[in-house]
Amino acid sequence: MITECSFDGLPAWRIEEEGATALIAARGATLLSWDPGVGESLIAGFESADELLDGKGSRAAILAPFPGRISGGSFTFSGREVHLETKADGHARHGFISKATFTRADDGPILRLKTDYDGSGDWPWPFTFYVIYTLTRGEENEAHLTIDMELVNDADEPAPASLGWHPLLRLPGMETNAKLSVSIPARMKIATTKDHVPLPGEAAYAGMPHPVRIDYLGKTVLDDIYTGLIPTEDGTVHSTMSDPVSGAKLMLTQEPAQAPVLIAWTADGMARGERRALALEPLSHIPDAVNRADCQDTIALAPGQMREMTATLTYCPPVPEL
């Protein structure tokens, strides 16, 4: 069931399905909360209209038409010089779709949201952007939240287009991420500058001897970009955070053809809730892809074509003791 509602005075929608609920704001089509039926949200989302409008922490923000940083906020694509608004570190960051107002695209049984960008801003290529949220439940009572995002190039020329999502995740009752176990099936880590811009050329790609496996996170700081993701037999990639005591687990599933990149961040430096969540962020391209020769072929989207990314969060509750 989908109902229109208000989030601290701002328009939003509430989804209820098989004992699970989700709250999505019209601002940025932003996921504000997701309760899979445990009595609390597993998204460390924005808690007020002021937080959502400010956007600090990018809590569950959708990142488009580019995720991560663009070095110096500038790039040249197909002869066009583009200069974007920069943050305090001197780089553009996380796109601008999170500031857009979305409307419901239709009255069907799923929540399908839409916004149009006319190309009149610093980003010169118009596009239409869709976001779809669905809630489902598995055969073993696991709960799923799936987000589908689609960017359609409305320009009459090829345009750069890349996508990402920035969910801050938590397990029930979690006060700190220190006790988490973390698993990321990646073969490669992206080497970056101190302000998280990938190094030029092949220097950016650093092989790893084995996938990421952290049995006890403790004070470990993660703000890392991974690629070379290893799919399972079904062709998808599963990254997990779990409570080794209770056995509760939260898993992010992404399609490696759509999203071959993952960022893991331990939420250090947050103004509210520092290290009380873990970000697992699927991306279609590494940050600063518009400035990289090795990304030009994959980042260009032809006129009228669509770039899509799907990500699913799955909550597996603790197994009851016999």
Side-chain angles (χ1 to χ4, degrees), residues 93-225:
R93 188 186 308 173
H94 289 346
F96 51 85
I97 205 68
S98 61
K99 298 179 181 179
T101 299
F102 282 74
T103 57
R104 196 166 176 191
D106 53 57
D107 295 325
I110 62 174
L111 184 62
R112 187 169 187 254
L113 305 177
K114 175 186 177 182
T115 194
D116 295 291
Y117 171 68
D118 64 8
S120 62
D122 294 338
W123 191 269
W125 299 279
F127 60 84
T128 303
F129 200 85
Y130 297 93
V131 180
I132 302 168
Y133 285 99
T134 54
L135 300 179
T136 56
R137 194 168 291 277
E139 296 180 354
E140 299 182 6
N141 201 37
E142 68 273 22
H144 309 285
L145 179 146
T146 298
I147 178 173
D148 293 283
M149 55 186 77
E150 303 168 351
L151 187 155
V152 179
N153 179 15
D154 295 330
D156 58 4
E157 61 182 286
S162 49
L163 309 173
W165 188 38
H166 197 289
L168 278 164
L169 308 174
R170 56 185 304 278
L171 289 171
M174 194 174 94
E175 295 296 328
T176 172
N177 59 26
K179 297 179 181 179
L180 290 178
S181 295
V182 180
S183 175
I184 300 171
R187 295 189 182 93
M188 192 172 294
K189 183 176 177 181
I190 302 298
T192 71
T193 64
K194 60 181 177 57
D195 45 0
H196 306 292
V197 174
L199 296 182
E202 290 299 315
Y205 302 100
M208 300 192 304
H210 49 75
V212 177
R213 174 72 190 186
I214 303 172
D215 292 328
Y216 181 81
L217 190 61
K219 296 182 179 180
T220 300
V221 174
L222 296 176
D223 195 354
D224 298 323
I225 310 169

Side-chain angles (χ1 to χ4, degrees), residues 219-281:
K219 296 182 179 180
T220 300
V221 174
L222 296 176
D223 195 354
D224 298 323
I225 310 169
Y226 300 99
T227 190
L229 303 181
I230 306 168
T232 58
E233 291 182 356
D234 67 0
T236 59
V237 174
H238 307 292
S239 301
T240 63
M241 51 183 277
S242 58
D243 181 340
V245 176
S246 72
K249 180 172 71 174
L250 193 54
M251 178 171 65
L252 169 73
T253 299
Q254 62 197 93
E255 301 278 350
Q258 297 177 342
V261 179
L262 177 78
I263 294 180
W265 178 48
T266 40
D268 300 271
M270 293 282 288
R272 176 179 63 79
E274 181 176 24
R275 293 190 68 89
R276 297 185 67 176
L278 177 70
L280 294 174
E281 311 166 32

